[in-house]
Amino acid sequence: MIKNERMTIVHQAEIAHNIYELTLKGELVQEMTPGQFVHVKVGDSFEPLLRRPISIANINKETNEFTMIYRAEGRGTSLMALRQTGNELDVLGPIGNGFPVDACPEGGTALLVGGGIGVPPLYELSKQLNARGIRTIHVLGFQTENVTFYEEQFSALGETHYVTVDGTKGTKGFVTTVLDELNPDFDVFYSCGPLPMLRALEAYYPEKPGYLSFEERMACGIGACFACVCDTTDKHEKDYVKVCSDGPVFPKGVVAL
Ligand SMILES: Cc1cc2nc3c(=O)[nH]c(=O)nc-3n(C[C@H](O)[C@H](O)[C@H](O)COP(=O)(O)OP(=O)(O)OC[C@H]3O[C@@H](n4cnc5c(N)ncnc54)[C@H](O)[C@@H]3O)c2cc1C
Ligand code: FES
């Protein structure tokens, strides 16, 4: 159930260029699952009015803390980067369906493919897959080295490959460059990132089950407006889906890419 809470900032740090790691404490954490997101009111005034949707990257139910990783680029996220330990943030969540962890058989292998600010939700997903005895392969794509993060954390969970467009870290190219080289054997793929990447993955693995998480522009975040609507493929029973309330994760083949 979606709830509203003023959560306390227990940690905020810049972990790469304009990339922030923000940990919050509060009761909402008990409801969170991987692939869901929160809708954050970045300041205490009316401006900016709209909340910002940010994925849940790490959940710690024992301490009641969760972590988000976000890029400070526009007005809202830049304001959020100024908030300090001890401040409170107004958080709505957890929102959305999340990744189906049980779609991968126990003892199987999951391929996790992320691009840029689509990488964070894959971290908690990988933790939970590993906890079920599932082997994870991570392929993580970024523009350039100085915006990469969490190499140690992902590597501790499984085989991890970085790829950058300019070749400053890992393989030079796109996530598909690494997938061509690796030709990985896996049971299910999970992905979050820009649309061209999601489109490429669907085309690469037509025979495999796969789940895609979308980062569509949002307004209300709770299914009440139509800001996040996406067309579906003609195979699907509805003409459109709302990414916030029907997603953000969809089985491959549902959203028209
Ligand atoms: C489900 C979901 C999960 C996300 N998870 C993350 C994450 O973990 N880390 C991260 O860095 N970013 C994430 N994003 C993208 C993030 O929400 C936008 O980068 C952010 O809202 C931009 O706000 P701003 O203040 O920087 O930009 P502004 O330009 O000031 O934003 C103006 C408006 O546009 C909306 N907007 C702008 N870009 C986006 C976008 N790409 N997606 C959605 N709304 C947008 C804002 O919410 C706001 O309403 C996620 C988006 C969605 C939908
Ligand atoms: S953001 Fe309003 S319906 Fe999805």
Side-chain angles (χ1 to χ4, degrees), residues 37 39 216-229 241-246:
F37 67 97
H39 217 19
E216 222 28 60
R217 278 183 171 263
M218 289 187 179
C220 73
I222 52 167
C225 70
F226 279 78
C228 65
V229 159
V241 285
K242 291 180 177 177
V243 171
C244 66
S245 51
D246 298 322

Side-chain angles (χ1 to χ4, degrees), residues 37 39 50-56 68-78 117-118 120-121 213-219 243 248:
F37 67 97
H39 217 19
L50 291 177
R51 291 171 180 266
R52 301 305 194 250
I54 305 288
S55 301
I56 294 162
M68 312 185 279
I69 298 167
Y70 66 94
R71 181 169 61 212
E73 53 177 1
R75 173 146 172 78
T77 47
S78 299
I117 52 170
S213 184
F214 291 79
E215 297 195 332
E216 222 28 60
R217 278 183 171 263
M218 289 187 179
V243 171

